[in-house]
Amino acid sequence: MAMDITDFLVDKYETEQYDYKVLIYGNYTYRKNLEADSLIEVLRRVIPYISKKWKVHFTILIPEFVKSIAFDNVEQRIYELPTYINQMRTHFDSVEFMKHIDWRRNDWDIIYSHLPEHTNQIANSICNNSNIIPKIIGYSHWFEVPENSPYLKTMLDANLNGILQMEECGVNSQWLKDLVLEKAKETYNQIVIDKLDKIIQPHYLGVDRVNPRSTYKDKTVIFNHRDAGYTGWEWFVKCVDEIWETRKDFKVYTTLAQIDRPWNKKVDLTSRDEYMDFLSEIKFGVGAFQTYSAWSISTTDGLSVGVPYLLPNKLCYPEMVSNDYPYLYDNRNEFISKFNEMLDETKQYDTTQIAKDMLWDARIDKWFNNWDTVFEPERIMAEVDGLIKIKQFIKQSKFATKKDILEYMNWGVKIKWTPYRNGLRLCTNIKFTKNGYEWID
């Protein structure tokens, strides 16, 4: 019979204080390079922001190790997910998930889910099969709707059911929130729509830096989006082909797409710094989104280094750059006309103020109602005999893991642990650590 050595791997001498433990459940769509995935872009900003304000330990379930989020207070656990995006959203292995939850040994105060399609299962698995009652908050990076998903069936209903388990779910823009609520009306009654309206809130994404360039290479254009249907790639190619017939004095650089055209050159950039430096040398960028675009990090990347973008006058873009932004187009003819104008301009629009309004910390600071209640315990056990007994046990032991306490109290899944954990927060002699509770005289 194999021996369970898990307890021997617990470092009881880990004394770093962590008042909260957060489990991050991810939505991974760019598996070719997770460093460039939109979720990783968000986490590498959100985790440091939270860590400056609260003592938090994060555990991330992730398909492979990602260097840019390897912070001291982050544990990355390998968690297999299908690579095909729709299948990833359909696949939830409750047995494997609960192994990572490992509720006898672990505390989870908050579940930060970036995959609403799994969040209903997450809530049921944890609340009905463990002694933990975590807060559940989230962010939805994508909704499978006809405008962006060429599937016979979609996971939209699963997404909305997951959002209903959350206290708040961020989305990229007000435009996206409005779209989602309209789609929800096709299935749900007004009571549910009102709940979704309260839960779903714009969480605007930010930029790393505001570093306007002083020079650029003339007659250069960037299309730094994927070559997917929703990005308008085919429409863009047809437009540029038409422009090329009348002038052949420009080059369109692409970072993710490629096509055999004399006007195109794909660049392979190995790091984000190299990418941002290259981007700053381009005269202007383009967005060709037709029916769906909730936000565009690739566009805000360019704006942050002084690159103006030619953008559709719809979707999220008026919201992103304001209605009086000069490079918004309404149709194909306007796109071609403004593309030519931007190629020939000697003085370009200054994007500095737009970018300053997008700095990450200022953006994140407004999420979740300024984070006022995220790290406020909701269920706190009164000074009952059980809580007093636990405090005495921790004092006698000097350090106790959750498993130690549960075994001492002879408690299982039926007695919910979360209120007792929150009750321990009120004891100034007890320090919360990653692996347990330390008594401080």
Side-chain angles (χ1 to χ4, degrees):
M1 181 178 178
M3 180 180 180
D4 184 357
I5 64 169
T6 306
D7 291 334
F8 295 98
L9 302 177
V10 173
D11 182 5
K12 295 188 177 183
Y13 299 98
E14 170 59 65
T15 60
E16 186 71 28
Q17 181 174 345
Y18 293 117
D19 295 328
Y20 299 93
K21 292 188 67 178
V22 175
L23 179 71
I24 298 176
Y25 194 92
N27 168 71
Y28 306 100
T29 58
Y30 196 60
R31 296 289 289 274
K32 293 178 183 178
N33 178 14
L34 277 186
E35 287 283 4
D37 189 89
S38 59
L39 170 61
I40 303 303
E41 292 278 357
V42 172
L43 293 183
R44 69 165 64 102
R45 305 299 167 224
V46 173
I47 290 173
Y49 171 87
I50 293 175
S51 301
K52 286 187 294 186
K53 293 176 175 289
W54 298 277
K55 297 180 183 299
V56 179
H57 185 273
F58 298 89
T59 298
I60 303 175
L61 303 186
I62 193 167
E64 62 188 67
F65 180 82
V66 174
K67 184 177 180 181
S68 66
I69 55 172
F71 303 107
D72 290 341
N73 60 333
V74 172
E75 177 186 359
Q76 299 183 50
R77 294 188 186 176
I78 301 303
Y79 186 71
E80 297 295 333
L81 287 167
T83 55
Y84 181 54
I85 296 174
N86 177 258
Q87 187 182 10
M88 174 199 68
R89 296 185 178 120
T90 66
H91 175 84
F92 181 79
D93 186 339
S94 62
V95 175
E96 182 64 22
F97 175 74
M98 290 305 292
K99 287 179 181 177
H100 288 285
I101 292 299
D102 193 8
W103 60 270
R104 292 179 178 84
R105 295 181 175 89
N106 288 320
D107 295 305
W108 306 109
D109 300 298
I110 297 166
I111 307 296
Y112 191 13
S113 174
H114 290 252
L115 191 55
E117 291 87 347
H118 289 191
T119 305
N120 193 27
Q121 297 95 310
I122 288 171
N124 277 267
S125 295
I126 294 178
C127 293
N128 299 331
N129 297 281
S130 83
N131 61 3
I132 304 169
I133 316 171
K135 285 188 179 183
I136 302 178
I137 59 175
Y139 198 106
S140 185
H141 298 254
W142 192 260
F143 291 86
E144 290 187 355
V145 292
E147 289 82 355
N148 65 26
S149 302
Y151 307 134
L152 292 176
K153 301 289 184 180
T154 73
M155 292 294 289
L156 178 60
D157 286 344
N159 183 308
L160 297 174
N161 286 334
I163 288 175
L164 289 168
Q165 298 292 337
M166 301 178 187
E167 295 189 7
E168 181 169 323
C169 180
V171 295
N172 299 145
S173 60
Q174 183 65 42
W175 175 84
L176 180 56
K177 175 179 177 176
D178 293 342
L179 176 69
V180 170
L181 292 179
E182 281 301 310
K183 298 297 182 184
K185 290 176 183 178
E186 298 174 9
T187 304
Y188 298 97
N189 62 31
Q190 192 60 45
I191 295 174
V192 177
I193 299 300
D194 290 343
K195 289 181 181 178
L196 290 170
D197 186 30
K198 182 179 179 180
I199 295 169
I200 300 172
Q201 298 297 329
H203 287 188
Y204 293 108
L205 303 180
V207 297
D208 299 333
R209 58 184 177 177
V210 179
N211 189 20
R213 78 278 180 87
S214 55
T215 61
Y216 58 82
K217 295 178 181 177
D218 197 25
K219 302 296 193 290
T220 56
V221 184
I222 188 79
F223 184 96
N224 53 334
H225 318 286
R226 304 181 194 185
D227 56 354
Y230 75 94
T231 65
W233 168 245
E234 292 184 5
W235 182 88
F236 170 74
V237 170
K238 291 177 182 177
C239 289
V240 178
D241 281 343
E242 183 177 331
I243 296 168
W244 190 256
E245 291 176 3
T246 62
R247 60 188 300 171
K248 296 178 173 61
D249 61 345
F250 64 91
K251 181 68 71 175
V252 176
Y253 293 92
T254 51
T255 56
L256 300 172
Q258 186 172 13
I259 193 167
D260 185 16
R261 293 289 197 278
W263 48 260
N264 176 232
K265 181 177 181 179
K266 185 177 185 296
V267 291
D268 295 310
L269 306 169
T270 58
S271 70
R272 181 161 178 79
D273 285 341
E274 185 182 6
Y275 161 70
M276 294 299 288
D277 289 342
F278 177 82
L279 192 55
S280 69
E281 298 174 353
I282 301 298
K283 187 174 187 181
F284 69 93
V286 293
F289 302 88
Q290 299 297 297
T291 60
Y292 183 95
S293 182
W295 200 254
S296 173
I297 291 178
S298 50
T299 299
T300 58
D301 281 344
L303 294 171
S304 74
V305 291
V307 181
Y309 269 66
L310 180 56
L311 299 167
N313 189 21
K314 59 182 179 181
L315 310 174
C316 68
Y317 295 102
E319 191 177 346
M320 176 188 290
V321 296
S322 80
N323 289 311
D324 58 355
Y325 180 74
Y327 303 128
L328 295 173
Y329 63 89
D330 288 308
N331 52 51
R332 177 190 177 96
N333 288 339
E334 278 196 14
F335 175 86
I336 292 173
S337 175
K338 292 195 176 189
F339 189 101
N340 282 310
E341 289 175 12
M342 294 179 78
L343 282 174
D344 295 331
E345 281 179 341
T346 57
K347 184 177 181 181
Q348 289 190 304
Y349 184 82
D350 185 355
T351 65
T352 303
Q353 190 56 52
I354 292 176
K356 284 183 177 179
D357 292 339
M358 293 181 181
L359 285 169
W360 267 113
D361 277 8
R363 293 286 206 184
I364 298 170
D365 197 49
K366 297 177 182 177
W367 295 4
F368 300 109
N369 193 30
N370 305 112
W371 300 84
D372 282 347
T373 61
V374 172
F375 294 100
E376 286 185 6
E378 293 176 344
R379 299 173 178 85
I380 302 176
M381 183 59 65
E383 196 73 1
V384 296
D385 290 345
L387 184 61
I388 294 171
K389 191 175 180 181
I390 292 169
K391 291 179 184 178
Q392 292 172 341
F393 177 71
I394 295 171
K395 182 177 181 179
Q396 293 168 0
S397 304
K398 298 299 183 184
F399 182 93
T401 65
K402 179 182 179 182
K403 187 169 184 288
D404 294 335
I405 296 169
L406 294 182
E407 289 179 349
Y408 173 72
M409 299 296 290
N410 196 28
W411 284 355
V413 69
K414 291 184 178 180
I415 299 178
K416 297 304 179 185
W417 169 249
T418 302
Y420 287 91
R421 173 172 166 82
N422 290 336
L424 293 176
R425 297 182 189 281
L426 304 180
C427 180
T428 56
N429 295 106
I430 294 177
K431 181 170 76 172
F432 287 31
T433 71
K434 173 188 173 185
N435 297 318
Y437 304 87
E438 181 181 358
W439 185 266
I440 307 296
D441 291 317

